[in-house]
Amino acid sequence: MNFPELRQFFITLLIGTAGALIAIAIGFPAPYLIGPALAVTFAGLAGLRLGVPLIVRNACFVIIGISMGSTVTPEIFVAARTWPLSFVMVFVAIIILLFSAAWVLQRLFRYDRTTALLAASPGHLGYVLSLAAEMRCDLRAVSISQSVRVLALTISVPLIVEFFDLADTDVIVLPDAMSMPIFVVMLIASAGFGLLFQRWKFPAALLLGGVFVSISTHITGTVSGAVPNWLLIPIYVLLGSLIGSRFSGLSFADLRLAIVSGLVVTVVVMALAGGIAVIVSYFANVPLDAALIAFSPGGLETMAAMAVMLHADPTYVGAHHVLRLMFLSVLMPLVIGRDARLK
């Protein structure tokens, strides 16, 4: 990192930390995500240039993956017997959310079909933007709509869980923190597998590297213990800041239509996802808070971190979001069609 990037990151971290402290004081659920996301978003829209360096972002994803895997116990495999129905509903949910949101964008906001489908994609932000760059579409509208969705879901899901008292009373009890030498070894191994998964074009490869190493070592009893809170809390603050930094350098005036359309679509998909989560929770005997986070079309890393913070089952949540990303990777090029590609 050069000095301007370091300065930008330092300011972002200060604003994110202040946002987290304010969210704690107000009593927001998941304050380490919501507070920084809101604070950095408003600071960016006010004109500040903010950002989180790539190396820091990647390290956060690896550590969140390790944290997810540390909650896995043999009892998880017993519970997983009821998940196949839930997995099938992931495919149903994606189809419903995608075409409902695209219909809203085309009818209410006059988006062309390709822009509407890309802006309506329920997740996989990086992949969708890479597709949009190769298509005849409004790339800016796609980018803003997707970013608004991620931000809105980061804020709304914890509030919904808190307001409707959806949290499972049988909360996950994390083990004591693992020793630092063991954690460092796991971090190195996780980063190695994450880079390997990147080479194999896996979605959320770095997070999956952490999940793979953590589950493998915890389920076999080789390692015990969780990522210490003194490290996890700053990771959550950084993740919230990263979400908010997507709006850096933009303004309300320039983005009014895209922001409004993104918020409208988020309300639509959240209502649909909530209904599907209720059905899955009832028929698959899954806690409603875990089902809601699992079917909310937010970023995998964010939803995984949220599951840990809200004491939902992060293994269940993570498995569903990975499946969602894999299905979207195949589905989006098919629904858009060849005629939308640049000539």
Side-chain angles (χ1 to χ4, degrees), residues 32-53:
Y32 304 115
L33 279 175
I34 292 179
L38 282 174
V40 175
T41 294
F42 286 123
L45 291 173
L48 289 179
R49 300 295 299 182
L50 304 171
V52 176

Side-chain angles (χ1 to χ4, degrees), residues 198-222:
Q198 270 189 340
R199 189 171 183 177
W200 291 345
K201 307 297 184 183
F202 282 18
L206 293 170
L207 181 135
L208 291 181
V211 170
F212 175 76
V213 171
S214 188
I215 288 179
S216 300
T217 53
H218 279 83
I219 204 69
T220 59
T222 307

